[in-house]
Amino acid sequence: MDTSAFLSHLTAVFPGDPQDTDPVDPSWTAMTDEVAGYTGPNELAVLQAAAAVLPDGEAYLEVGTYKGRSVCAAAQGNADKTFYAMENFLEFGMTGQQARDELMGNLERHAGGANVHLLEGDCFTLMADRSVIDRPVGVYFYDGEHTLLSHYLALAVAEPLLADEALVLVDDASWPLVQRAHRLFLKRHPGWQVVATWDAREANDPRWANGLHALVFRRPSSRHAQRLSRTDEVLRIYQTRVQDRLNTVAWKAADRFPGFFKGAAKVVLSRSRAIGDDER
Ligand SMILES: C[S@@+](CC[C@H](N)C(=O)[O-])C[C@H]1O[C@@H](n2cnc3c(N)ncnc32)[C@H](O)[C@@H]1O
């Protein structure tokens, strides 16, 4: 993936600085009306622009598809590209056939005729299985679980799958916990840099939701390890065998006792998810 071409292409997608202007194409706002979801119109325009620059022979990978808003946007006008979308149907009352049906319906109606390969399951298990994606990933969009560990692993577990040059877009990146995970990860892993930060001015900002950061990965050499370090593998095993089970219990309980969990989440998450209050 030519990541410089992507950054240049953005000058045609926005009339000015993407941070402070609406996309030239007004249809992204309509997309937010038509498909339920958590991404803002400027984010959708950036995702589509990234997919447009993706070369033949590389894949677009999304983690955290929910009802399909972000991947439907990315696929617009890109029906010839290869899309993978990972979703475990866990959060926001997604459990059950109805959620699946809604997502499949949206993919059919709003994905511009693109063939999106939906991979159902835990992304940290799926991404570690090298037989799941059939080509290097040139564009990777992470919008899955938002904890410090999951954001660290979102980069660590994806790295072996990435093309030698790849664009990595991370949602909710205005949250302190996401930036902290990126700092921890970048300190320990060569070849990565943050190239753009489109931050939310407020929570659920009308353009950028909770912010989108763009990172570029360039594999340092062809001999660079294409598997996880021992520490990262231990963290991945903890996430998939312990944390994932705790999450399942917590989301099921949150479905049953929404009032209690809303209050508890406010107390537990407020600092790590405060916009414009990055802790260092
Ligand atoms: C914020 S939503 C995604 C929003 C979507 N990208 C959009 O544009 O509206 C996060 C999604 O990630 C999914 N998710 C969370 N943890 C996951 C995991 N470990 N593996 C796969 N999907 C996960 C949740 O079920 C949820 O649907």
Side-chain angles (χ1 to χ4, degrees):
M1 167 82 177
D2 181 349
T3 53
S4 312
F6 158 74
L7 291 169
S8 311
H9 179 45
L10 288 183
T11 57
V13 176
F14 293 92
D17 182 350
Q19 177 70 57
D20 298 311
T21 54
D22 295 331
V24 172
D25 181 349
S27 68
W28 303 117
T29 303
M31 175 75 86
T32 63
D33 294 332
E34 284 159 15
V35 183
Y38 293 95
T39 31
N42 286 36
E43 296 184 290
L44 302 184
V46 168
L47 297 176
Q48 195 277 343
V53 178
L54 185 71
D56 288 346
E58 292 184 8
Y60 181 107
L61 169 63
E62 166 175 289
V63 165
T65 299
Y66 188 55
K67 298 194 173 167
R69 182 189 284 178
S70 45
V71 79
C72 285
Q76 293 305 306
N78 290 319
D80 56 331
K81 308 285 164 88
T82 300
F83 292 90
Y84 288 93
M86 295 181 179
E87 171 57 56
N88 66 353
F89 295 100
L90 182 62
E91 297 182 358
F92 312 115
M94 283 289 279
T95 328
Q97 192 58 39
Q98 204 185 332
R100 234 169 249 113
D101 290 347
E102 201 172 333
L103 169 58
M104 298 314 286
N106 283 335
L107 291 177
E108 234 172 85
R109 283 189 300 277
H110 299 289
N115 182 14
V116 177
H117 304 275
L118 178 65
L119 302 170
E120 185 172 339
D122 169 55
C123 65
F124 302 113
T125 304
L126 288 168
M127 286 196 283
D129 178 349
R130 300 296 292 274
S131 67
V132 163
I133 295 182
D134 70 345
R135 59 195 75 198
V137 172
V139 178
Y140 168 50
F141 173 54
Y142 182 81
D143 192 13
E145 181 190 311
H146 301 298
T147 63
L148 185 68
L149 177 58
S150 57
H151 270 276
Y152 177 96
L153 287 175
L155 304 185
V157 181
E159 187 186 294
L161 301 177
L162 298 178
D164 288 346
E165 179 175 353
L167 175 70
V168 175
L169 297 160
V170 180
D171 198 23
D172 299 295
S174 297
W175 286 343
L177 79 88
V178 178
Q179 295 175 23
R180 198 160 156 236
H182 288 176
R183 282 196 297 277
L184 285 168
F185 179 83
L186 265 64
K187 226 188 264 172
R188 291 165 179 74
H189 299 78
W192 288 81
Q193 90 191 100
V194 179
V195 294
T197 55
W198 298 293
D199 276 314
R201 305 266 187 243
E202 59 193 271
N204 304 314
D205 180 282
R207 287 190 173 115
W208 294 102
N210 293 312
L212 183 71
H213 286 189
L215 293 85
V216 165
F217 172 67
R218 288 189 184 84
R219 201 170 302 288
S221 77
S222 54
R223 282 178 296 130
H224 185 73
Q226 293 228 11
R227 59 193 160 79
L228 298 192
S229 69
R230 198 175 296 180
T231 310
D232 289 354
E233 180 59 9
V234 168
L235 292 171
R236 190 190 73 81
I237 287 172
Y238 168 79
Q239 171 72 27
T240 53
R241 303 216 181 133
V242 182
Q243 193 59 51
D244 191 51
R245 282 176 203 170
L246 296 175
N247 293 348
T248 306
V249 172
W251 278 104
K252 282 193 176 145
D255 274 351
R256 289 192 60 195
F257 309 107
F260 171 77
F261 274 84
K262 222 173 170 184
K266 243 186 207 160
V267 175
V268 175
L269 303 174
S270 60
R271 237 171 80 72
S272 61
R273 296 189 175 187
I275 299 282
D277 174 34
D278 191 6
E279 54 180 21
R280 273 161 210 276

